[in-house]
Amino acid sequence: MNGKFVPVMKNYMEDIVDDLMIPILKSMEACSCDRCSFDIKAITLNSLPAKYIVTKKGKFYTKLESLQNQFEVDTIAAIAKAAEIVARFPRHDDEGH
């Protein structure tokens, strides 16, 4: 590569939700099939403020790791709330789960 900056925009909250969601769903004994997982993630991300970053393609967000702790508590609560909503109104039965 010629070193030219190739910007990539990303909602950093997606990474935080991805990192936290599986352990939380396991601890809640919530369904983690693909459909329920996607529904939980969508509800969670819609309830949290987006944290967009622009970074060089393929570069790690080491600078943002310090911000992760600030968002984790709110994210954990949002995931748990979304899992409860999906548990009450699961849509995986629509797909023969």
Side-chain angles (χ1 to χ4, degrees), residues 46-92:
N46 282 329
S47 70
L48 294 168
K51 301 292 181 196
Y52 284 99
I53 58 169
V54 176
T55 185
K56 200 171 195 174
K57 187 175 183 178
K59 187 175 181 179
F60 291 105
Y61 322 129
T62 54
K63 222 165 109 175
L64 289 173
E65 285 180 15
S66 62
L67 297 175
Q68 186 170 355
N69 291 336
Q70 295 175 2
F71 306 129
E72 278 188 6
V73 172
D74 291 338
T75 304
I76 290 167
I79 292 170
K81 184 176 179 181
E84 290 173 5
I85 291 168
V86 171
R88 279 185 278 155
F89 306 102
R91 297 191 309 162
H92 56 228

